[in-house]
Amino acid sequence: QVQLVESGGGSVQTGGSLRLSCTASEFDLTREPMAWFRQAPGKEREKVASITIDGAIKNYANTVRGRFTISRDDAKNTLFLQMGTLKAEDTGTYICAAKIFGPRPDDYSYWGRGTQVTVSS
């Protein structure tokens, strides 16, 4: 059974940094495009960043562009999200997703359960 497990979340002050990781079991991350989403209370799920199979193309939401970096380490079968200059509005549950099956932004077959990020002043 495919499992995606996120880690690295926590509480951080405004302006701080965190690095999130997403590892997979029973699934080869190196063969699929992947993405990070976030879900904040009372808000729609937002696609934060995505990356192609070879890592050559990375896309970011306008809300995080210039502050977040998505990357992948195929040797470790792990996806990362480096987050910097964090703001209170970055608070939420960060979820990784893998294997695109359709044209919509959230058409991914596999999802993790998420890791909580809380940014406070």
Side-chain angles (χ1 to χ4, degrees), residues 2-52:
V2 173
Q3 284 190 323
L4 301 180
V5 180
E6 302 90 341
S7 61
S11 296
V12 63
Q13 290 189 327
T14 302
S17 301
L18 283 173
R19 188 174 83 154
L20 307 183
S21 300
C22 173
T23 58
S25 60
E26 305 299 327
F27 182 74
D28 186 356
L29 295 181
T30 66
R31 297 180 179 273
E32 301 294 345
M34 299 194 66
W36 285 99
F37 290 76
R38 68 184 177 191
Q39 179 76 61
K43 295 184 178 180
E44 291 189 359
R45 184 170 59 192
E46 179 185 17
K47 189 173 188 178
V48 173
S50 64
I51 187 169
T52 52

Side-chain angles (χ1 to χ4, degrees), residues 38 46-48 60-68 87 89-90:
R38 68 184 177 191
E46 179 185 17
K47 189 173 188 178
V48 173
Y60 298 94
N62 290 334
T63 51
V64 306
R65 186 174 291 112
R67 300 187 297 119
F68 290 12
K87 306 175 182 179
E89 51 263 44
D90 294 319

Side-chain angles (χ1 to χ4, degrees), residues 68-104:
F68 290 12
T69 302
I70 188 172
S71 63
R72 58 196 306 160
D73 186 332
D74 290 346
K76 297 181 179 180
N77 207 34
T78 302
L79 179 73
F80 298 102
L81 185 67
Q82 180 68 48
M83 307 188 295
T85 318
L86 284 163
K87 306 175 182 179
E89 51 263 44
D90 294 319
T91 294
T93 300
Y94 284 72
I95 306 161
C96 68
K99 192 175 178 66
I100 295 173
F101 69 86
R104 296 178 301 178

